Amino acid sequence: MSTDARRAPGVLDDGGPSGDPRRDPRAYLDACAARYGPVYTLTADQTHVRAPEAIRHILRTEDEFPLAPALVESTRDSIQLDHPDRWRLARRLIWDHLDAAACAKAAPQLARGWREEFAGGARYRSVGPVVDATAAVQWPYLLRDCARPELGPLLLATSHRRQRSINGLTAWGRYRLRKQFDQVIEGLLAAVARRRAVADASAPPDLLDSLLADDSGALSDLDIAQTLAICLDSAMMTTGSAVCWTLLAYADCDAATRSALREGVAAEDFVREVLRHTPVMEMLNRTAATGVNLGGHPVAPGSTVLMDIAGLHHDPQLWEQDPEQFCPARWKTDRPHAPGAYLPFGAGPRFCLGSRIATATLTTLVQTLAEGYSVRSAGPWRCRRDNLNWPHPFRIEITLHG
C-alpha cells in the first residue's frame, strides 16, 4: 500500500513490475493492474484506471474530468475547450445528421467508394495510403467541399503531419503545425462562406448543411469550421486505423468465414470484434478538475487520468469467452461482457460523434471484400502506439477474384 495517502498505490511504491514498458506496454500495464488493482498510479501525476464503473463515471462527468489541452494549439480559441456550450450544440447537430437511418442510406455510397479504391487491386506498404483511402471513401459523404483541390490535399497533409508529430515536436515543428492548422481553418471558413452564399438544394445534405441549418445564431462561422476540422480529421485518422486492423483480421479469415461476411449481421459482428480486439484508442485521458475519489483513492487536482480501454477489452474477468481470442461469434450472445467492458467509442457527453458512420464504413468494407476480393497480409506485425493504435510494419495486398 502506498505510504502517501494522497494517491493510489502504484509504481512509485516499489518500482513497478518487471518488464520494459517501452518494449511491451500492454504486458506491463496488465502486470501493474494485477499487482496494484484496477486504480493505480504510474507517476506522481498520472492515475491509471481499468475499472468499468470508474471509467464510466469519468467519461460521464465532463465538469469533473475535462479534456486536456491539445498538444498543438491554433492561434484561435478552441470550440471544444473554450466554448463548451457551443461545442455541445454543434455536437447535437452533427449527431442528428449522422443518425442510424442516414448512415444506413450512406452504405451504398460507401461501398461504391471501396469498390473504386480496389478496382485495380491495391497494395499497401504502410498505413498512410490506407488512411488516405479511408478519407476518399468517407469525406465526400461528410463534406462535399473536400473535393476542392485547395482544401482536400491540405486536410490530408495536416492530419498526417499531426499524427507523425504526436510523440515529439520541436518549437519550430509546433509553429509549422500551428500555421498549417490555421490554413485548414481558413479553407473551411471559405467553404462556409461559399455555402452561405450559394446553397445547392439538389445536393444531398452534408455536415456543413446540418450546422448551417441551426437558426439560433449561436454558432459562428469559426465554430462551424472548427467542428468540421475535428470531424474530418477523426473520420480520416481514427477510422483509418480501424480499417488497417479490419484488413489484417479479414486476411486471417478462412474461406467459409469470408463467404459468411457478405451478410450484414455477420459483417457487423466482425467489425465489433475488430474494435474490441484491437481498439483504435487503447487509452482515453482526462484531467481531474478538482480533487476527486476513484476506487477509494484520492486523485489530486490537475492530475492526468488514463483510462485503459484495451485493458477492459482484454480482461478475462469481464468477458464470457477468452478475450485474447479473435472471435466474432461471441457477439451472438445477449451479454458477451460485463457492463461497461466494451467502449470502442468512449461514453458520456463526448461519445464518438462518428461511431455510426465509422461502423457503416467498416461494415461496407468487410462486405465489399467478401463479395469478390482476396486479401493477403505479410507478417509479423506489432502495435505501434501514438495517440492511436497502428499495425507496424503493415503489408496488405488486395486482388479481385478472377
Side-chain angles (χ1 to χ4, degrees), residues 90-102:
R91 280 184 56 89
R92 180 179 63 77
L93 295 170
I94 296 295
W95 183 257
D96 290 345
H97 175 78
L98 296 177
D99 63 13

Side-chain angles (χ1 to χ4, degrees), residues 298-364:
V299 177
S303 297
T304 298
V305 179
L306 300 174
M307 292 160 281
D308 189 355
I309 302 303
L312 291 183
H313 288 191
H314 287 265
D315 189 335
Q317 298 183 28
L318 301 176
W319 292 84
E320 289 186 356
Q321 296 175 272
D322 181 5
E324 293 303 318
Q325 298 296 318
F326 184 88
C327 179
R330 77 174 72 243
W331 297 100
K332 296 185 182 301
T333 63
D334 292 335
R335 294 184 178 181
H337 58 80
Y342 181 64
L343 296 173
F345 298 109
R350 291 189 182 270
F351 183 82
C352 177
L353 272 176
S355 59
R356 292 164 175 160
I357 192 64
T359 300
T361 301
L362 297 170
T363 302
T364 56

